[in-house]
Amino acid sequence: MRSPQQPVFKALADPTRRAILKRLQQGSETAGEIAAAFTISKPSLSHHFNILKAADLVRTERRGQHIVYSLNATVLQEALAMLLDFFPPGDSSQEHDGSKTG
Amino acid sequence: MRSPQQPVFKALADPTRRAILKRLQQGSETAGEIAAAFTISKPSLSHHFNILKAADLVRTERRGQHIVYSLNATVLQEALAMLLDFFPPGDSSQEHDGSKTG
DNA sequence: TATATATTTAGACAAATATCAAAATAAATG
DNA sequence: CATTTATTTTGATATTTGTCTAAATATATA
């Protein structure tokens, strides 16, 4: 059930990879479509894809000549859960109740 | 208002640093107390402290000879918010309604 | 099979990172 | 001021990371 989060946090540490995830959030795309949106070379992108796959943040499916990448929201949720875990239960330091008079 | 999240994600990418944050979540500690909990050298820890400070994930206060480190929950919340931002509004893919028949 | 398109792998390299030992800085105390 | 304790900075080094070009693999189609 548990997954080691280290690869996920490593994967999220790079801005290019976060941008890839952000794109995939809008919907699945082929490697080529993603590559067209970035200035770095396709092999470099492919390297980032590998890291995202290793972290299980993206899934792939071959469609003819193309490889379609899609977001695996579950793993992102888990990273989220781990960050949330930093906040003790019942911590309401960031809550507001709307009773502000102004 | 906005803060560049890159240093935060870089900071979170290292397991030692996440462990430090985890400790500080329990309460503030001096550099020495933290160092005692890890096997790596004090200079290495100090390096990690610098990265955490640069990301504004921790704050420091001198108390006599000691430097007290404490968690800055706000920045962690911001990283959290950015991750949450990956999920489109109204996405209920992980929600459950308890109507399972059992 | 040959050719074109899509993507990845291999190999190289520069930059960034994590680590350490030794030296430096800061504060308390004799 | 000299010494002790706490912490950081410096400088070196090995590893990891991000990037590239060139080559390889996979699929579609003539």
Side-chain angles (χ1 to χ4, degrees), chain A residues 5-6 9-10 12-15 18-19 21-23 25 71 73-74 76-77 79-88 91 93-94, chain B residues 5-6 9-10 12-15 18-19 21-23 25 71 73-74 76-77 79-88 91 93-94:
Chain A
Q5 260 109 355
Q6 179 59 11
F9 282 102
K10 286 273 192 179
L12 291 174
D14 184 271
R18 289 200 304 278
L21 293 175
K22 198 72 190 164
R23 285 186 71 86
Q25 172 197 30
L71 192 66
T74 303
L76 214 41
Q77 295 257 11
L80 200 66
M82 196 201 151
L83 274 187
L84 276 168
D85 208 45
F86 270 102
F87 302 100
D91 177 2
S93 59
Q94 294 294 323
Chain B
Q5 260 107 355
Q6 180 58 12
F9 281 102
K10 285 276 191 178
L12 290 173
D14 185 272
R18 288 201 303 279
L21 293 175
K22 199 71 189 164
R23 284 186 71 87
Q25 171 197 31
L71 192 64
T74 302
L76 214 41
Q77 295 257 12
L80 200 66
M82 195 199 152
L83 274 186
L84 275 169
D85 208 45
F86 271 103
F87 302 101
D91 177 1
S93 59
Q94 294 295 323

Side-chain angles (χ1 to χ4, degrees), chain A residues 1-78:
Chain A
M1 209 74 205
R2 302 273 19 286
S3 69
Q5 260 109 355
Q6 179 59 11
V8 176
F9 282 102
K10 286 273 192 179
L12 291 174
D14 184 271
T16 299
R17 291 194 289 266
R18 289 200 304 278
I20 292 170
L21 293 175
K22 198 72 190 164
R23 285 186 71 86
L24 294 180
Q25 172 197 30
Q26 309 287 98
S28 300
E29 284 188 307
T30 68
E33 286 167 341
I34 297 170
F38 291 84
T39 53
I40 67 180
S41 71
K42 285 177 183 184
S44 294
L45 258 307
S46 201
H47 163 73
H48 288 304
F49 293 156
N50 281 335
I51 289 168
L52 291 170
K53 275 191 282 188
D56 201 24
L57 279 164
V58 302
R59 296 283 172 75
T60 62
E61 177 202 355
R62 177 172 282 278
R63 195 128 67 196
Q65 293 167 283
H66 301 265
I67 308 261
V68 180
Y69 281 84
S70 30
L71 192 66
N72 179 7
T74 303
V75 170
L76 214 41
Q77 295 257 11
E78 283 171 12

